[in-house]
Amino acid sequence: GRLHRWDIRRQKKGGNIVWVRETARAVGAGRDGMVLMTCEDIDDTYRLTENLSFQANHDELTGLANRKTLAKRLVQVLESAHSEDTEHTLAVIDLDQFKIVNDTCGHTAGDELLRQAARLLKTIVRKRDTLARLGGDEFALLIEDCTMAQAHSGIEALRQALESYQFVWDGRSHKVAASIGLVAVNKQCEDANAALSMAD
């Protein structure tokens, strides 16, 4: 008589994968018993929930993690630093020429510059690290299990990649540069806000 319910991915005849909710209940016992089972298509609901979750945790313009997601990850990393004496590095990256591009070429160009910078940064950073857009032309990178000394060469490579990048808009080329602040995230670090303001 107990109801069993689970959500699972199933493949349709055409090959499409959909999310379904299956419900099963045993009726009767022994040879006379049988299982009643229903299958409900919840694909639209599942994808909507997934989409809402993505939007809540990511920057709409660049698709990177947002400030809230970075703060959550920073809190987790700080707990690890305090309890296990681990060390991590937080970098705040500020695009120096963004205001010039935004003012001379317009907001559409500024938005495109941010998207292209985000794509470039994603190709350089490790998959396990958290790259986020804080807002405006500010990005942040949380490099886990990495001291500031170890992070320095990687951050320098990232800065050089941005400086050698040419942003082209309406046939005009714009140089991009970045100012980057680093801070150690270790047991001496009080909280996430302190780490962010120190890097800033």
Side-chain angles (χ1 to χ4, degrees):
R2 236 175 84 225
L3 194 68
H4 300 272
R5 179 177 291 135
W6 56 88
D7 296 347
I8 191 167
R9 285 169 48 183
R10 294 282 186 207
Q11 187 170 1
K12 292 170 89 174
K13 273 186 186 175
N16 290 347
I17 303 291
V18 293
W19 279 94
V20 295
R21 177 165 294 142
E22 295 180 346
T23 309
R25 174 180 288 163
V27 180
R31 289 176 172 267
D32 298 328
M34 62 178 175
V35 176
L36 293 177
M37 193 162 169
T38 62
C39 185
E40 177 190 0
D41 184 342
I42 59 164
D43 200 59
D44 288 343
T45 307
Y46 190 87
R47 296 199 190 285
L48 179 63
T49 304
E50 218 173 34
N51 196 20
L52 287 172
S53 173
F54 184 87
Q55 287 175 3
N57 294 301
H58 291 79
D59 174 58
E60 190 179 344
L61 182 68
T62 62
L64 298 178
N66 59 18
R67 180 184 282 271
K68 185 179 87 172
T69 302
L70 175 75
K72 269 192 233 170
R73 190 68 201 127
L74 202 44
V75 166
Q76 291 170 339
V77 162
L78 270 167
E79 284 172 6
S80 161
H82 285 254
S83 64
E84 299 163 34
D85 199 18
T86 55
E87 189 169 328
H88 318 276
T89 302
L90 176 66
V92 170
I93 305 155
D94 197 345
L95 298 183
D96 297 335
Q97 271 67 37
F98 175 74
K99 189 167 172 22
I100 294 166
V101 170
N102 216 30
D103 290 348
T104 58
C105 303
H107 294 299
T108 307
D111 287 352
E112 184 55 30
L113 171 58
L114 292 171
R115 277 191 287 268
Q116 288 184 25
R119 280 197 296 270
L120 176 64
L121 292 171
K122 273 172 86 171
T123 63
I124 299 167
V125 304
R126 303 180 310 181
K127 283 196 185 336
R128 62 183 288 208
D129 297 328
T130 306
L131 177 64
R133 179 173 172 227
L134 299 177
D137 62 346
E138 266 194 340
F139 297 87
L141 175 62
L142 178 58
I143 309 163
E144 296 187 38
D145 297 310
C146 185
T147 65
M148 279 204 5
Q150 293 167 330
H152 201 270
S153 60
I155 291 296
E156 181 55 25
L158 191 145
R159 190 190 65 75
Q160 286 177 9
L162 282 168
E163 282 200 0
S164 61
Y165 184 72
Q166 294 283 322
F167 174 69
V168 179
W169 187 262
D170 280 343
R172 288 175 56 202
S173 185
H174 303 269
K175 282 198 69 63
V176 179
S179 300
I180 304 175
L182 294 177
V183 66
V185 180
N186 53 29
K187 63 182 179 186
Q188 276 79 46
C189 198
E190 290 174 31
D191 58 37
N193 289 334
L196 270 168
S197 64
M198 283 166 69
D200 201 32

